[in-house]
């Protein structure tokens, strides 16, 4: 067992622990030659200035004497069967390296480490099973495995060990190493090498909330420069049939910056266009006498979740597993046939911090669960089949996340946790048109911010709308969120468009696009019930 101290002497506790280990090993060196544990352990202490991660691993490799070498980072936790499992696999496969899967865990306390369970395919917080030595896919994705893997020491030395690139301490050194071993096995002159294989089981815990994780601190360009390094000779490119794909795969800094600048330019241009359209509408409507709505055209009933009848929130029905309600009058409620009685005094409303404001509360105890509320609204002004004009629809809502696990994991480990879908948290609307057809999936999504946030969107339907199915959703995510002040209205009069500050309505507006459209026979295929 070789422990490499890579300049970690930063606290009195760390220094004391390392000194204790060093003294213990020194006493064993002086013990009898018959002591079987005499030379089984080694502590290598590097200088006060830390080496790169690859440099530290190469120091461990240089000090290794066995035929096989297993690397383990200090924020990983091995299962009790990891060594025996990997040794069995490398002996059976005769591979140069075997890479296992992993299960995720959070925290460092003993209690936290008991939460994940390595059994079958059941991961409490998720995990990763690598695909293996696909050299073509390896240009684009890390399909090979994690650094926590077992290697043949001579094979590792034959490719130069871990890439230690001066000035580039980005992550991806394991990806690069596996790619070298995999392509070395494909080379005809090394036909005795068997490359990389995987153990399709988790044999260690991978910590996903480590603030010092190199993957979280690496710049994308440096990261990809390192991982593409093994592919940069023409002989290798030709041998695996990649051709000009490498140029396509490489991320170019200038191209990326140009694309980002172009994106910002287009976004600004769209904002100006929205602003111009709003001004033109106001100019036109100011010449008309349509003031009938007085800006109060909200079709949603009880959008502030303030009232109830017989213990049920007025106008709203439950979706999936229903919803909870923060009762503004502290009355016990019955929603989805449950007696809740919660007042939620710790969750201040969007109006102020008092408990006199209602709010919709959606809380999912686990991933894969969904809760929500729904309401059907009609647009009376366009209920006739003679309607010719498709009127824009204004949508707004406020929300606050008490906590949201999906966003938390994505923030901590974006490489393994994708960004949550917009449609999983927000206001979702299906439209029914006057000609009998439907359009589905307009979503006003929210980020999981721990403060009250208002989102505004505009639906510009292609055909007149007769009815809308409005859903307030929190689905397939673990957490707890609040909603308030749901508004859905037609922009039919000048007071709807030009109320108050003429610029405020379109200040941060989002143009909402549908997921799909169909006719009456297609509603079961494209509605929210089939896209949840």
């Amino acid at each position: 067992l070789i422990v490499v101290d890579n300049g970690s002497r930063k606290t009195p506790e760390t220094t004391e622990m390392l000194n204790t280990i060093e003294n213990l090993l020194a006493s064993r060196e002086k013990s009898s030659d018959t002591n079987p544990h005499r030379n089984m352990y080694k502590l290598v202490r590097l200088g006060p200035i830390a080496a790169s991660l690859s440099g530290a691993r190469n120091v461990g490799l240089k000090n290794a004497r066995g035929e096989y070498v297993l690397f383990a980072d200090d924020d990983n936790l091995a299962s009790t069967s990891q060594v025996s499992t990997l040794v069995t696999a490398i002996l059976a496969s005769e591979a140069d390296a075997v890479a296992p899967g992993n299960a995720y865990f959070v925290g460092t306390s003993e209690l936290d480490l008991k939460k994940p369970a390595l059994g079958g395919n059941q991961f409490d917080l998720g995990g990763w099973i690598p695909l293996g030595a696909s050299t073509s896919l390896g240009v684009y994705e890390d399909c090979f495995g994690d650094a926590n893997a077992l290697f043949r020491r001579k094979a590792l030395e034959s490719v130069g060990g871990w890439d230690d690139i001066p000035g580039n301490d980005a992550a991806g050194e394991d990806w690069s190493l596996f790619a070298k071993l995999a392509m070395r096995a494909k080379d005809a002159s090394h036909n005795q090498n068997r490359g990389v294989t995987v153990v399709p089981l988790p044999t260690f815990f991978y910590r996903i909330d480590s603030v010092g994780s190199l993957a979280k601190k690496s710049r994308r360009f440096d990261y990809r420069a390192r991982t593409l390094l093994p592919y940069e000779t023409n002989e290798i490119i030709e041998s695996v049939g990649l051709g000009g794909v490498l140029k396509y795969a490489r991320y170019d800094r200038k191209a990326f910056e140009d694309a980002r600048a172009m994106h910002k330019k287009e976004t600004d241009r769209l904002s100006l266009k929205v602003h111009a359209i709003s001004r033109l509408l106001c100019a036109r409507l100011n010449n008309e006498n349509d003031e009938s709505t007085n800006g109060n055209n909200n079709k949603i009933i009880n959008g502030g979740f303030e009232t109830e009848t017989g213990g049920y929130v007025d106008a709203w029905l439950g979706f999936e597993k229903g919803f909870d309600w923060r009762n503004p009058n502290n009355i016990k409620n019955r929603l989805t046939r449950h007696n809740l009685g919660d007042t939620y005094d710790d969750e201040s409303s969007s109006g102020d911090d008092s408990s006199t404001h209602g709010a919709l509360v959606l809380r999912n105890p686990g991933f894969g669960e969904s809760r929500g509320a729904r309401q059907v609204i009609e647009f009376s002004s366009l209920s006739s089949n003679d309607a010719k004009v498709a009127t824009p629809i204004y949508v707004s809502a406020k929300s606050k996340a008490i906590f949201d696990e999906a966003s938390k994991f994505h923030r901590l480990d974006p490489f393994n946790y994708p960004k949550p879908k917009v449609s999983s948290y927000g206001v979702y609307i299906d439209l029914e048109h006057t000609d009998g057809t439907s359009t589905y999936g307009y979503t006003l999504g929210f980020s999981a911010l721990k403060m009250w946030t208002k989102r505004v969107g505009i639906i510009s339907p292609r055909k007149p709308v007769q009815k809308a199915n409005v859903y307030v959703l929190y689905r397939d995510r673990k957490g707890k969120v609040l909603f308030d002040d749901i508004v859905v209205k037609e922009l039919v009069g000048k007071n709807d468009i030009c109320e108050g500050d003429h610029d405020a309505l379109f200040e941060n507006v989002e143009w909402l696009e549908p997921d799909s459209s169909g006719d009456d026979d297609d509603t079961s295929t494209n509605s929210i019930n089939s896209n949840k």
Side-chain angles (χ1 to χ4, degrees), residues 329-510:
N329 299 314
N330 297 339
I331 302 173
K332 288 188 176 183
N333 312 281
R334 288 178 294 119
L335 303 173
T336 62
R337 299 181 181 178
H338 292 286
N339 187 7
L340 301 173
D342 291 331
T343 59
Y344 306 106
D345 289 333
D346 62 319
E347 300 147 1
S348 61
S349 74
S350 56
D352 55 39
D353 289 341
S354 70
S355 61
T356 60
H357 291 263
L360 184 76
V361 182
L362 305 179
R363 45 183 170 182
N364 294 328
F367 290 102
E369 296 194 28
S370 299
R371 283 170 171 76
R374 60 188 177 92
Q375 186 174 142
V376 180
I377 60 175
E378 294 190 2
F379 297 102
S380 57
S381 62
L382 295 176
S383 60
S384 170
N385 286 328
D386 296 330
K388 303 293 185 181
V389 179
T391 304
I393 298 172
Y394 171 93
V395 184
S396 69
K398 297 177 182 177
S399 185
K400 171 184 179 180
I402 305 303
F403 72 97
D404 178 75
E405 295 294 302
S407 295
K408 174 184 175 182
F409 290 154
H410 171 69
R411 185 174 63 254
L412 294 174
D413 189 7
F415 290 101
N416 293 300
Y417 282 95
K419 185 176 182 179
K421 294 181 179 179
V422 174
S423 59
S424 65
Y425 172 21
V427 178
Y428 184 105
I429 298 177
D430 293 334
L431 299 181
E432 297 181 20
H433 301 285
T434 56
D435 64 358
T437 61
S438 301
T439 309
Y440 308 105
Y442 293 96
T443 303
L444 183 67
F446 281 87
S447 300
L449 300 178
K450 294 185 177 182
M451 65 180 72
W452 281 102
T453 305
K454 182 177 180 180
R455 297 295 312 280
V456 176
I458 300 293
I459 297 175
S460 182
R462 292 174 295 176
K463 295 178 287 186
V465 178
Q466 180 175 344
K467 187 182 296 185
N469 295 279
V470 181
Y471 302 83
V472 182
L473 300 175
Y474 186 60
R475 52 183 178 170
D476 300 325
R477 296 167 74 157
K478 179 181 178 180
K480 180 177 179 180
V481 299
L482 280 69
F483 284 93
D484 202 358
D485 297 340
I486 311 298
V487 176
V488 179
K489 66 180 182 180
E490 299 167 287
L491 298 178
V492 295
K494 70 179 182 181
N495 288 320
D496 292 320
I497 301 175
C498 308
E499 59 183 349
D501 180 358
H502 288 189
D503 294 330
L505 178 62
F506 291 91
E507 183 73 22
N508 295 299
V509 71
E510 176 183 352

Side-chain angles (χ1 to χ4, degrees), residues 308-330:
E308 54 86 25
T309 301
Y312 293 88
V313 176
D314 290 338
W316 292 95
L317 299 174
F319 176 77
E320 289 286 344
K321 293 189 177 182
F323 59 90
D324 298 343
W325 177 42
R326 199 221 358 239
N327 188 337
N329 299 314
N330 297 339

Side-chain angles (χ1 to χ4, degrees), residues 63-353:
N63 282 272
R65 299 194 310 272
E67 183 178 354
Y68 304 103
V69 182
L70 172 63
F71 292 89
D73 291 343
D74 60 358
D75 55 355
N76 292 342
L77 177 67
S79 69
T80 55
S81 61
Q82 174 174 251
V83 174
S84 61
T85 300
L86 297 184
V87 169
T88 300
I90 203 167
L91 291 176
S93 64
E94 298 184 347
D96 291 331
V98 290
N102 58 55
Y104 299 148
F105 79 98
V106 175
T108 57
S109 69
E110 183 177 349
L111 178 64
D112 288 331
L113 298 181
K114 291 179 180 179
K115 289 182 178 179
L118 293 182
N121 293 320
Q122 301 299 317
F123 304 149
D124 289 347
L125 299 178
W128 182 53
I129 301 294
L131 175 65
S134 174
T135 50
S136 296
L137 179 61
V139 175
Y140 306 96
E141 296 288 341
D142 182 4
C143 59
F144 300 110
D146 185 82
N148 197 120
L150 183 66
F151 300 87
R152 291 184 185 273
R153 181 167 60 88
K154 290 185 177 180
L156 208 55
E157 292 172 343
S158 70
V159 295
W162 301 86
D163 288 330
D164 192 5
I165 305 174
N168 185 347
D169 194 21
E173 71 291 336
D174 46 1
W175 183 350
S176 175
L177 177 61
F178 282 123
K180 288 193 296 183
L181 290 172
M183 287 188 292
R184 175 176 177 268
K186 282 182 172 289
D187 193 322
S189 63
H190 295 82
N191 54 16
Q192 297 301 314
N193 301 299
R194 292 167 176 80
V196 180
T197 191
V198 300
V199 174
L201 295 172
T203 69
F204 70 98
F205 298 113
Y206 180 87
R207 184 179 176 187
I208 60 175
D209 64 338
S210 176
V211 295
S213 172
L214 190 58
K216 298 181 179 65
K217 299 187 296 182
S218 299
R219 294 192 303 175
R220 180 68 180 176
F221 301 106
D222 292 340
Y223 177 72
R224 292 300 283 132
R226 179 188 289 274
T227 59
L228 288 171
L229 189 62
Y231 296 92
E232 289 188 352
T233 66
N234 293 331
E235 292 80 9
I236 293 178
I237 292 176
E238 293 175 0
S239 70
V240 296
L242 292 176
V245 177
L246 179 59
K247 292 183 179 179
Y248 176 80
R250 177 181 289 279
Y251 278 76
D252 180 81
R253 181 185 298 273
K254 186 177 185 303
F256 178 81
E257 294 295 342
D258 289 346
R260 185 165 61 178
M262 181 62 69
H263 175 73
K264 184 178 185 306
K265 183 177 180 180
E266 291 298 323
T267 302
D268 293 342
R269 183 182 301 171
L270 178 60
S271 298
L272 291 174
K273 183 178 180 180
V274 171
H275 180 80
I277 292 173
S278 68
R279 297 300 93 227
L280 289 172
L281 286 171
C282 288
R284 177 178 178 182
L285 292 171
N286 277 330
N287 293 323
E288 300 176 0
N289 294 318
D290 184 4
E291 300 185 11
S292 58
T293 64
N294 295 319
N296 259 335
N297 195 26
N298 189 11
K299 297 296 182 179
I300 293 291
I301 301 173
N302 193 24
F305 307 99
E306 303 290 337
T307 63
E308 54 86 25
T309 301
Y312 293 88
V313 176
D314 290 338
W316 292 95
L317 299 174
F319 176 77
E320 289 286 344
K321 293 189 177 182
F323 59 90
D324 298 343
W325 177 42
R326 199 221 358 239
N327 188 337
N329 299 314
N330 297 339
I331 302 173
K332 288 188 176 183
N333 312 281
R334 288 178 294 119
L335 303 173
T336 62
R337 299 181 181 178
H338 292 286
N339 187 7
L340 301 173
D342 291 331
T343 59
Y344 306 106
D345 289 333
D346 62 319
E347 300 147 1
S348 61
S349 74
S350 56
D352 55 39
D353 289 341

